[in-house]
Amino acid sequence: ENREDMLSSKSNRLTEALEEANKLFSGVSCAREAALDAQFLVLASNLGKEKANELHSQMTSFDSLAFAEDLLTFMGINRIEVEENDSDSEGIPGGYLPSNAWHKLGEETEKYFRRAPSFHYMLGSFKSDPPVPRQRIERQKKATGGEEKRAMPAQLKKMEESHQEATEKEVERILGLLQTHFKNDPDTPISFFDLVIDPNSFARTVENIFHVSFIIRDGFARLKLDEDKLPIIEPLKDNKGKEDDRSTGARNQAVISLSHQEWK
């Protein structure tokens, strides 16, 4: 009921009511009386807050109008010229601030900001998504790889066939030389080393031994030792020895060691 009187800065009614409540609280014995005291405390706190907001103190209050007046004065506005301009040129908006007013204010406020302002996007951050792979390029790569895979086996097969044909021709040529030499002089044994060794090429000698091994394996010729325990080679007639070797299992395989020094 006495709200306005209590909020007046010249009145001490709120303080007197708090002191009286402190005295009455010492005689409280029921819960209802304690609840009334709590309700009064809330009401007195709200009144005290409103009374404090109405106080005019340079330390606690901020008058926006007074701040605007001081700011305009600092920026260089002249009130006398403003009033004359308003009376002479009515309807013309603004125009009474100096051209460097905002620049002057910026120079003054710059000293109070010791750090650079934080950067932020006006429309949010930019999210970069990885580029979508093109399916056409992947299909081209797969097609190219398939062509290469199909071409390589054909090329290797062709190389194997050509190498096999060359080996067969060389084996046939050596067998023909062996049979011709034996036919002309059947009583003279043919030395294995005289047949295979090429005096001018170590590599050719190794190839000759390799090719002669096919002739021995297929039963077209056989090796045996002479009186000096040196190997000699002779062709078999009418493949009879070939059939006998296959039936009895007389053919064996051996490894020949031949270094470059021994070849010399």
Side-chain angles (χ1 to χ4, degrees), residues 196 198 200-209 260 263:
V196 298
D198 187 345
N200 300 320
S201 175
F202 175 73
R204 184 64 179 172
T205 301
V206 175
E207 290 181 357
N208 291 336
I209 296 174
H260 192 269
W263 168 75

Side-chain angles (χ1 to χ4, degrees), residues 76-93:
I77 190 173
N78 192 334
R79 292 297 181 183
I80 300 177
E81 295 180 358
V82 171
E83 293 177 359
E84 293 178 355
N85 293 334
D86 291 342
S87 59
D88 295 340
S89 57
E90 295 180 356
I92 301 176

Side-chain angles (χ1 to χ4, degrees), residues 107-173:
E107 290 181 347
E108 180 65 22
T109 56
E110 185 179 0
K111 65 181 70 174
Y112 299 103
F113 296 93
R114 300 296 180 89
R115 62 183 180 88
S118 60
F119 178 77
H120 63 281
Y121 295 98
M122 297 180 64
L123 299 177
S125 60
F126 295 97
K127 296 181 179 179
S128 60
D129 297 331
V132 180
R134 297 181 180 180
Q135 297 181 357
R136 294 182 180 178
I137 298 178
E138 293 180 356
R139 291 176 183 175
Q140 291 177 358
K141 289 182 178 180
K142 291 180 180 178
T144 305
E147 292 178 358
E148 293 179 356
K149 290 181 179 179
R150 288 194 299 270
M152 288 180 66
Q155 184 179 3
L156 292 176
K157 184 177 180 181
K158 185 177 181 181
M159 291 175 61
E160 291 177 357
E161 291 177 355
S162 62
H163 181 69
Q164 185 176 0
E165 291 177 359
T167 302
E168 291 178 356
K169 290 180 180 180
E170 188 66 18
V171 171
E172 292 177 358
R173 186 183 70 84

Side-chain angles (χ1 to χ4, degrees), residues 236-251:
L236 298 178
K237 298 179 181 179
D238 300 332
N239 293 336
K240 292 182 179 179
K242 179 179 177 181
E243 294 177 359
D244 295 340
D245 290 343
R246 286 183 177 177
S247 61
T248 59
R251 287 187 291 120

Side-chain angles (χ1 to χ4, degrees), residues 36-50:
L36 291 175
D37 182 78
Q39 185 178 358
F40 167 75
L41 182 60
V42 174
L43 180 61
S45 299
N46 293 331
L47 293 175
K49 181 180 178 180
E50 293 181 9

Side-chain angles (χ1 to χ4, degrees), residues 218-260:
D218 295 336
F220 293 104
R222 64 181 177 180
L223 285 174
K224 61 181 181 178
L225 299 179
D226 59 3
E227 297 177 356
D228 298 328
K229 301 299 182 180
L230 294 175
I232 59 175
I233 185 171
E234 60 180 7
L236 298 178
K237 298 179 181 179
D238 300 332
N239 293 336
K240 292 182 179 179
K242 179 179 177 181
E243 294 177 359
D244 295 340
D245 290 343
R246 286 183 177 177
S247 61
T248 59
R251 287 187 291 120
N252 296 321
Q253 291 179 334
V255 178
I256 298 177
S257 175
L258 181 66
S259 65
H260 192 269

